[in-house]
Amino acid sequence: MTAVAAAPHTSHHAPGAEAGMLWRQTRHELVTLVRTPITLILSIGLPLLFFVLLSALIGNQVLDETNGVRLVQYLAPGMASFGVVMATFSFLAVGLAEARATGVVKRQAGSPAPRWVLIGGRMGAALVLGLTSTALVITAGVLFYDLIVPSRSVAAIVVTLVVASACFSALGLALAMALPTMQLTLAVSNGVVIPLAFISDMFMVGGQMPPWLATIGWLFPLKHLTALFADALNPYLTGSGFELDHLAVIVLWGLAGAIVATALLRRDRDRDTSLGSGAGADAHTRARSADAVPRRTAAPSLGALLLDQVRHAQSILWRDASAVFFAVAFPVVLVAIIPAVNGGGDQIMSNGLSLGTFYAATMAVYGAAVTAYVNMPQGVAEDRERGVLKRTGGTPLPANALIVGRVAGALGVSLVTGLAIAVLAGLAYRPGWPSGMPAAVVTLVIATVCFAVVGLAVMTFVRSAQAVVGVTLGTLLPLAFISDIFVVGASFPPVVEAISWLFPLRHAARAMTESIAPASSGLAWGHLAVLLAWTLAGAVVLVLRYRPEARESGHTAGRRNLPQTARTSSR
């Protein structure tokens, strides 16, 4: 799929007119952003949420009674940097890749707007998004956690934000132009940012990581950005806060990204002028005609229908590169990274588990939750939007077989993730294979089914697939922080502690760790009972609310039932 039209722009505009076009394009990108809840969650909500949770847990500790300096002073730079990179690099890469895939960029290239205005509008929106994310983090720190912002470094903070936003925007554009699909761009962009965040002092304060891992972090611009913010917010330092060495590294990375993005844009333009469409279209038509040949001549049995639906669900989940990354690769990577940046995975915890084995158990639960609670319901919601679920009503496939097949498909992916994590933990940490592995497998199966049923129940209350992702991911990530998934051994306020025990995620994590603990007696029946209760409640909601089409609000349904004349007059 090409990104630009074959014919270059030949019209010329006055500088003032082009400036107005740039402003309108930036405003258009911002409006599009506001209408995309998942983007807002990842770029603004996620950094702010991480900052609030970590600050509430560890950031209120006073380090200096004389000056009132708290631990949050050293936590804020990492979260501010994380907000910048998520709002620029990830937002631009994924947004541009989606625009290319849907043909938006190609249609824009045929408009009077110059190409630099179209790209500049996206970069301007990313800059506004990055400034907003960082401002929210710093403002929350000042208002609620006594964060000190030295007046000497305000100018340095603003300049650093602008330079870093330009750098990561250029890198995001280059990545979007280099990768063929939006899903792959989403997986790669987050697959680069999140592991680098762990080795760039974003999620840890005062931790120790191996020297070779710290060296890798200094090769990339993210750690230099964190160092700049850390020095600018350090109340014990003097000076303006400008550090040319860190800024130089960020600028060099930005120039490299701009050069690569420009070269790839030119390549796509040349490719568009040289490629034809006739032969490819004929081949595609012949391939599609082969799909029209019926595969069965008799009515399929219920077992065959269920098995086909399981295979279909598996293919949907495995073909989605972003789903594979977040549900499979990401938990495996965290099993390797989190223990490494916290002193090593062979440390023995109070429950007798090594740190690496503990995180292997919790990351298996997290991977199952992402697959069954987020990705699988999103796929069902997308089928509902496209009318696939409605069309199945005219087929021999019953609705209950469709639901069971999707749940079973999510279970298969979760088991593969758990196996990959177990192999990594078995090779890297001691003991390699805990005695409670059979109980852990049973626990993972029960937890996955619970997450899947609850996720489908949540889907019945939400109209669009994007909103489903916003709701499920927006609830999963906060719960993961207060459910001993990412943060272990933290002291929660009583209200937060009580909330965490109401939901199934913490019970699943505790059941997994207890099942493989050295003194384990097998299955943690108390925690499993909570999971089964949530599964039963979700199943009841599914029975009562599941429809092949999204439910309409009373206002929407009322307007749809209006006569045409009344509808016209109401406008």
Side-chain angles (χ1 to χ4, degrees):
M1 184 171 292
T2 55
V4 293
H9 292 293
T10 57
S11 58
H12 299 281
H13 303 276
E18 290 189 347
M21 294 173 68
L22 178 61
W23 161 247
R24 289 191 294 273
Q25 186 64 29
T26 302
R27 185 176 59 183
H28 167 73
E29 297 295 342
L30 288 173
V31 171
T32 303
L33 168 67
V34 171
R35 294 174 179 174
T36 311
I38 186 60
T39 304
L40 289 177
I41 289 173
L42 293 177
S43 58
I44 292 182
L46 198 59
L48 181 61
L49 176 65
F50 284 175
F51 176 70
V52 170
L53 287 175
L54 293 177
S55 297
L57 295 176
I58 65 175
N60 275 335
Q61 179 182 349
V62 178
L63 302 179
D64 189 340
E65 295 286 353
T66 304
N67 298 323
V69 176
R70 298 178 179 269
L71 190 60
V72 71
Q73 199 73 33
Y74 304 97
L75 179 65
M79 292 297 99
S81 303
F82 186 62
V84 172
V85 71
M86 290 298 292
T88 53
F89 178 76
S90 297
F91 161 65
L92 262 179
V94 176
L96 181 60
E98 183 178 12
R100 293 179 69 205
T102 55
V104 171
V105 173
K106 187 174 183 179
R107 292 193 297 272
Q108 286 178 335
S111 69
R115 183 180 301 160
W116 74 267
V117 169
L118 300 175
I119 298 298
R122 293 182 179 275
M123 295 182 67
L127 175 60
V128 173
L129 197 61
L131 290 172
T132 303
S133 179
T134 304
L136 287 175
V137 168
I138 294 178
T139 302
V142 171
L143 294 179
F144 304 110
Y145 306 108
D146 296 329
L147 176 68
I148 301 172
V149 180
S151 58
R152 64 174 178 84
S153 56
V154 171
I157 292 175
V158 174
V159 172
T160 299
L161 272 173
V162 174
V163 173
S165 297
C167 166
F168 290 114
S169 295
L171 293 173
L173 292 174
L175 183 67
M177 297 303 302
L179 298 177
T181 65
M182 187 272 287
Q183 296 293 345
L184 184 60
T185 303
L186 177 62
V188 172
S189 62
N190 289 283
V192 169
V193 168
I194 297 178
L196 283 180
F198 275 94
I199 64 175
S200 298
D201 299 332
M202 288 191 172
F203 299 117
M204 55 183 295
V205 178
Q208 295 180 352
M209 67 178 69
W212 63 271
L213 206 54
T215 301
I216 292 176
W218 283 115
L219 295 176
F220 295 93
L222 201 52
K223 192 163 188 175
H224 292 273
L225 175 61
T226 307
L228 277 169
F229 276 139
D231 290 344
L233 294 176
N234 192 332
Y236 300 106
L237 296 180
T238 59
S240 63
F242 287 98
E243 298 184 11
L244 298 182
D245 52 349
H246 294 306
L247 281 174
V249 175
I250 295 174
V251 169
L252 288 175
W253 271 96
L255 290 175
I259 292 171
V260 172
T262 302
L264 292 176
L265 280 167
R266 184 177 295 113
R267 180 202 65 180
D268 269 21
R269 181 189 61 193
D270 296 341
R271 178 183 298 174
D272 186 69
T273 59
S274 62
L275 290 181
S277 59
D282 291 342
H284 181 69
T285 302
R286 288 193 297 270
R288 291 297 300 271
S289 63
D291 292 338
V293 179
R295 300 179 181 180
R296 292 189 180 97
T297 56
S301 64
L302 180 61
L305 288 171
L306 182 60
L307 182 60
D308 283 347
Q309 193 59 214
V310 173
R311 292 171 179 168
H312 175 63
Q314 288 275 327
S315 65
I316 291 176
L317 292 170
W318 285 113
R319 288 175 183 175
D320 188 342
S322 63
V324 171
F325 169 76
F326 283 111
V328 181
F330 183 51
V332 174
V333 170
L334 290 185
V335 171
I337 290 180
I338 295 181
V341 300
N342 285 279
D346 290 332
Q347 300 178 72
I348 302 300
M349 304 175 62
S350 59
N351 58 5
L353 287 174
S354 68
L355 188 64
T357 305
F358 177 89
Y359 273 109
T362 60
M363 286 302 110
V365 171
Y366 178 72
V370 174
T371 296
Y373 179 68
V374 180
N375 293 340
M376 186 271 293
Q378 178 194 3
V380 177
E382 289 175 347
D383 284 348
R384 184 179 64 185
E385 281 185 344
R386 295 194 299 263
V388 174
L389 298 187
K390 185 178 180 180
R391 290 194 295 273
T392 59
T395 69
L397 178 66
N400 56 358
L402 185 148
I403 295 298
V404 172
R406 296 298 177 96
V407 173
L411 177 61
V413 176
S414 299
L415 291 175
V416 171
T417 305
L419 177 60
I421 290 174
V423 171
L424 173 61
L427 296 175
Y429 308 120
R430 297 190 301 268
W433 300 96
S435 58
M437 288 297 291
V441 173
V442 173
T443 300
L444 186 61
V445 170
I446 295 175
T448 303
V449 173
C450 174
F451 296 146
V453 173
V454 172
L456 289 171
V458 170
M459 182 208 69
T460 63
F461 291 93
V462 184
R463 286 185 55 82
S464 69
Q466 278 204 351
V468 170
V469 178
V471 172
T472 55
L473 192 60
T475 53
L476 175 62
L477 291 175
L479 288 175
F481 265 87
I482 64 177
S483 301
D484 291 339
I485 299 291
F486 297 127
V487 181
V488 180
S491 297
F492 298 100
V495 174
V496 176
E497 185 81 16
I499 291 174
S500 70
W501 284 113
L502 288 176
F503 294 94
L505 188 61
R506 189 162 195 181
H507 291 278
R510 187 61 62 89
M512 281 290 288
T513 55
E514 288 184 4
S515 67
I516 59 174
S520 172
S521 58
L523 295 171
W525 289 108
H527 298 297
L528 294 181
V530 176
L531 296 179
L532 292 173
W534 272 93
T535 305
L536 178 60
V540 171
V541 172
L542 269 179
V543 171
L544 296 177
R545 292 190 55 87
Y546 176 80
R547 299 290 186 278
E549 294 181 281
R551 292 172 177 262
E552 295 184 351
S553 64
H555 174 73
T556 305
R559 284 189 59 86
R560 182 165 293 184
N561 292 330
L562 283 175
Q564 182 64 35
T565 54
R567 208 180 307 169
T568 303
S569 62
S570 68
R571 289 195 293 266

